[in-house]
């Protein structure tokens, strides 16, 4: 990955008389490929990781990758099979549209992507309209000192009186649709509370903690410098690669092998020690505090892409929570609710056996250590065509269908 960045920088440097310090990575002509690795291929996998600009979907036998035009041939020679899923990642990026112009919270927020500062302002302005049943909360602090800003929403029981629903968005920086979607949840809960009895019932039933961007440094970096950045922005002593994968850093089964990387250059670098990402410490503290007070009914970690609803566990493919049947029932009904809105097909099941192994993941932690009744990871649209760079005209359809799935879960939980 660092090789590609360097060559992209050099290429543009030769044309520009003044080189800005933070040149934005240009993905014009880069291709997204779905490659099949040869059997027993740890070595090939490492070579692929070195060659490509980004691994998008960190799977085991199949990987979605973004690769520079000059490296396509070398990549296809290395792998067992490959299929083009996007001919021009740069062109797909253009379909994300211009950043939205923000004035006040409204439905039009959900028609464009937005700069980080506007996300925070949107949440503050939304809260300011509903001061009697919401509050801005700080969940922790990032590597670079930004707060992890969330909103707490409660109903007729009063603040902090009901079982908690915790929702995290944008832990992976490039998954922009996930902050839009989790903001839509907060928007729906607050704006419909007074007028929609079915929403009121949900707000009165739970105490919501929604943090749309739990990785602010990474998110900003994905806006200023590299649209496809995933991790946080933490440095590693003695290594030039940056970033820990916050969703491989949770202090539960962190030490288990096979579900994260020990290589600081990898997209799934787990860190030096369990919970050594500051963002992770904030999230862990939130979960622990709510476990110890009201208890956690439902935890949702919202990611993209792939259209999955995943239940524990990630670290062990044969293990299930004792209420696995109920997890599958909630997931199945949520998937049906999503399909009923738009026809979008979701796959559901335990995360390791359905998608791939993960260690130190949020939902394993919330299920076991957090004692949450239900824990799910959502992987939103799409299935790879646009991947993380979903066009602006898919934001509203995505947030609306996902909300239908989440409402279904909130009713069932
Ligand atoms: C876990 O949560 C359940 C409620 O879902 C509660 O009955 C139980 O006491 C909790 N266990 C611990 C160890 O906190
Ligand atoms: Zn993710």
């Amino acid at each position: 990955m660092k090789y590609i960045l360097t060559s992209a920088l050099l290429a543009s440097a030769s044309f520009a008389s003044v080189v800005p310090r933070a040149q934005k990575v240009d993905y014009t002509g880069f291709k997204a490929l779905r490659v099949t690795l040869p059997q027993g291929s740890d070595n090939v996998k490492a070579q692929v990781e070195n060659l490509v600009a980004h691994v998008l979907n960190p799977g085991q036998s199949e990987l979605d990758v973004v690769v520079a035009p000059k490296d396509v041939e070398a990549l296809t020679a290395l792998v067992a099979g490959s299929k083009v899923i996007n001919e021009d990642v740069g062109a797909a990026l253009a379909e994300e549209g211009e950043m939205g112009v923000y004035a006040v919270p409204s439905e039009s927020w959900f028609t464009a992507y937005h700069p980080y500062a506007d996300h925070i302002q949107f949440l503050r302005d939304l809260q300011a309209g509903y001061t009697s049943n919401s509050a801005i909360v700080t969940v922790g602090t990032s590597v670079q000192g930004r707060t992890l800003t969330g909103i707490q929403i409660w109903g007729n029981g009063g603040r902090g009186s009901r079982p908690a629903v915790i929702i995290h968005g944008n832990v992976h920086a490039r998954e922009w649709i996930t902050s839009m979607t989790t903001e839509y949840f907060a928007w729906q809960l607050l704006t419909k509370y007074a007028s929609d009895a079915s929403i009121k019932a949900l707000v009165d039933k739970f105490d919501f903690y929604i943090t749309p961007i739990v990785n602010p440094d990474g998110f900003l970096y994905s806006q200023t410098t590299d649209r496809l950045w995933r991790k946080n922005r933490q440095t590693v002593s003695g290594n030039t690669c940056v970033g820990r994968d916050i969703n491989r850093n949770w202090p539960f089964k962190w030490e288990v092998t096979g579900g994260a990387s020990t290589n600081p250059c990898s997209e799934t670098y787990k860190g030096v020690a369990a919970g050594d990402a500051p963002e992770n410490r904030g999230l862990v503290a939130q979960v622990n505090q709510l476990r110890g007070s009201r208890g956690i009914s439902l935890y949702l970690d919202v990611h993209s892409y792939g259209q999955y609803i995943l239940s524990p566990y990630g670290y062990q493919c044969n293990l299930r929570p004792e209420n696995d049947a109920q997890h599958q029932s909630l997931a199945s009904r949520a998937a049906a609710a999503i399909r009923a809105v738009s026809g979008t097909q979701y796959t559901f099941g335990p995360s390791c056996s359905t998608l791939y192994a993960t260690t130190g993941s949020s939902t394993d932690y919330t299920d076991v250590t957090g004692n949450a009744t239900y824990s799910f990871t959502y992987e939103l649209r799409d299935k790879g065509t646009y991947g993380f760079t979903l066009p602006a005209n898919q934001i509203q359809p995505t947030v609306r269908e996902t909300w239908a799935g989440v409402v279904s879960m909130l009713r069932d939980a």
Side-chain angles (χ1 to χ4, degrees):
M1 132 106 226
K2 65 177 187 290
Y3 305 112
I4 298 295
L5 274 177
T6 310
S7 58
L9 284 170
L10 288 175
S12 36
S14 58
F15 294 106
S17 53
V18 179
V19 183
R21 283 189 332 135
Q23 182 88 39
K24 204 165 179 176
V25 180
D26 180 3
Y27 284 106
T28 304
F30 281 53
K31 290 184 193 310
L33 298 185
R34 182 159 296 164
V35 299
T36 310
L37 299 174
Q39 300 266 302
S41 58
D42 277 2
N43 186 37
V44 174
K45 190 174 178 182
Q47 288 177 280
V48 169
E49 284 175 349
N50 262 333
L51 188 62
V52 302
H54 279 287
V55 175
L56 301 178
N57 201 347
Q60 248 99 62
S61 60
E62 269 195 348
L63 299 179
D64 289 359
V65 299
V66 163
V67 61
K70 67 174 178 56
D71 295 322
V72 170
E73 217 178 287
L75 176 65
T76 48
L78 202 53
V79 296
S82 70
K83 184 175 99 182
V84 176
I85 52 178
N86 197 304
E87 280 289 349
D88 187 344
V89 173
L93 275 171
E95 288 183 61
E96 286 194 305
E98 297 294 314
M99 287 282 161
V101 176
Y102 173 65
V104 291
S106 77
E107 282 282 342
S108 75
W109 174 260
F110 303 99
T111 61
Y113 293 103
H114 302 277
Y116 175 70
D118 285 0
H119 279 279
I120 300 306
Q121 198 57 47
F122 171 87
L123 212 58
R124 291 190 181 285
D125 292 347
L126 178 63
Q127 191 279 326
Y130 301 90
T131 52
S132 64
N133 70 328
S134 69
I136 294 293
V137 292
T138 293
V139 182
T141 308
S142 71
V143 172
Q144 295 168 353
R146 296 186 179 88
T147 54
L148 277 53
T149 307
I151 188 165
Q152 183 188 354
I153 298 169
W154 60 87
N156 62 8
R159 185 175 187 178
S161 63
R162 303 281 193 234
V165 171
I166 303 177
I167 300 176
H168 292 158
N170 238 151
V171 61
H172 292 142
R174 59 199 180 187
E175 299 168 8
W176 289 5
I177 190 62
T178 67
S179 39
M180 301 304 300
T181 303
T182 49
E183 284 160 0
Y184 190 71
F185 302 164
W187 165 256
Q188 288 291 304
L189 292 170
L190 287 172
T191 60
K192 300 273 173 67
Y193 182 71
S195 60
D196 184 330
S198 67
I199 299 298
K200 181 175 189 303
L202 301 178
V203 178
D204 289 344
K205 184 176 171 186
F206 298 112
D207 199 21
F208 290 86
Y209 293 83
I210 301 174
T211 309
I213 302 176
V214 303
N215 177 11
D217 301 348
F219 183 78
L220 258 170
Y221 190 76
S222 76
Q223 298 200 315
T224 59
T225 311
D226 184 353
R227 177 63 189 85
L228 295 178
W229 187 256
R230 168 183 170 98
K231 300 182 283 182
N232 76 357
R233 293 295 301 161
Q234 194 165 2
T235 54
V236 183
S237 166
N239 198 291
T240 54
C241 287
V242 174
R244 283 160 173 68
D245 184 339
I246 300 167
N247 198 31
R248 299 293 185 279
N249 193 246
W250 289 75
F252 176 75
K253 301 294 176 187
W254 176 89
E255 65 290 349
V256 173
T257 58
S261 178
T262 54
N263 173 3
C265 301
S266 164
E267 305 268 6
T268 58
Y269 177 52
K270 58 158 67 179
V272 174
D276 70 350
E279 296 85 357
N280 191 270
R281 284 198 288 275
L283 303 176
V284 165
Q286 179 191 44
V287 168
N288 291 355
Q289 194 265 320
L290 291 169
R291 168 197 62 194
S293 50
R294 263 142 284 151
I296 301 163
S297 274
L298 175 65
Y299 172 78
L300 301 179
D301 199 3
V302 184
H303 291 249
S304 69
Y305 56 88
Q307 296 169 204
Y308 291 97
I309 298 173
L310 302 169
S311 55
Y313 294 101
Y315 78 98
Q316 228 278 26
C317 287
N318 302 316
L319 204 61
R320 303 282 184 270
E322 42 92 18
N323 65 345
D324 177 58
Q326 291 153 285
H327 267 95
Q328 301 320 316
S329 160
L330 257 72
S332 159
R333 288 159 57 85
I338 292 170
R339 201 162 57 241
V341 171
S342 54
T344 303
Q345 301 271 359
Y346 267 67
T347 304
F348 64 91
S351 68
C352 181
S353 56
T354 306
L355 192 54
Y356 43 68
T358 55
T359 53
S361 78
S362 60
T363 42
D364 286 2
Y365 184 88
T366 55
D367 180 85
V368 179
T369 312
N371 192 31
T373 310
Y374 297 106
S375 297
F376 293 101
T377 298
Y378 273 72
E379 296 282 356
L380 305 181
R381 288 192 194 189
D382 54 15
K383 291 183 82 68
T385 306
Y386 290 101
F388 304 115
T389 58
L390 215 52
N393 66 15
Q394 286 198 42
I395 300 172
Q396 262 179 329
T398 303
V399 304
R400 287 175 180 163
E401 72 189 11
T402 311
W403 175 236
V406 171
V407 165
S408 166
M409 284 191 167
L410 293 169
R411 287 194 181 130
D412 286 349

